[in-house]
Amino acid sequence: MKTQLLWDDNVPPKDGEKSSINDLAFNPAGTQMVVAVGSRVLLYNASDGDLLMSLRPHKDTVYCVAFDREGKRFASGGADCSVIVWNEDGKP
């Protein structure tokens, strides 16, 4: 069996500092992945690892992310005591 790396989990640094991944979730179709990294929410194309959106909605660390059942919206929750529901265009 031959394996091939399609993409890696290197999170793009922000302001010169690396961040760790706190949570991630795939949409129901498995085509997109939303990731909680530091105070950012990153949306990736799951098949090739392309970064689709980098959102910085929270004032503190983002701890959790999840997609809805249809995959049309996703939510992020953070240490700033807020939960934000996003549409597929990255707008709250």
Side-chain angles (χ1 to χ4, degrees):
M1 175 188 274
K2 184 179 178 183
T3 60
Q4 180 180 4
L5 178 66
L6 295 178
W7 58 286
D8 62 33
D9 63 353
N10 287 331
V11 176
K14 189 72 171 177
D15 300 328
E17 292 190 29
K18 287 189 171 192
S19 298
S20 61
I21 295 172
N22 294 321
D23 194 18
L24 63 87
F26 286 91
N27 69 351
T31 58
Q32 292 181 334
M33 179 176 68
V34 64
V35 184
V37 178
S39 61
R40 294 180 291 155
V41 176
L42 306 176
L43 185 66
Y44 288 96
N45 179 324
S47 64
D48 60 15
D50 282 346
L51 180 62
L52 303 174
M53 284 183 236
S54 178
L55 308 167
R56 192 174 179 127
H58 295 274
K59 295 177 176 71
D60 205 342
T61 305
V62 180
Y63 287 121
C64 57
V65 290
F67 273 97
D68 73 344
R69 287 185 220 176
E70 290 82 32
K72 302 281 185 191
R73 295 178 293 182
F74 57 92
S76 59
D80 57 0
C81 298
S82 67
V83 174
I84 301 171
V85 179
W86 304 89
N87 67 19
E88 55 192 359
D89 297 326
K91 298 198 182 345

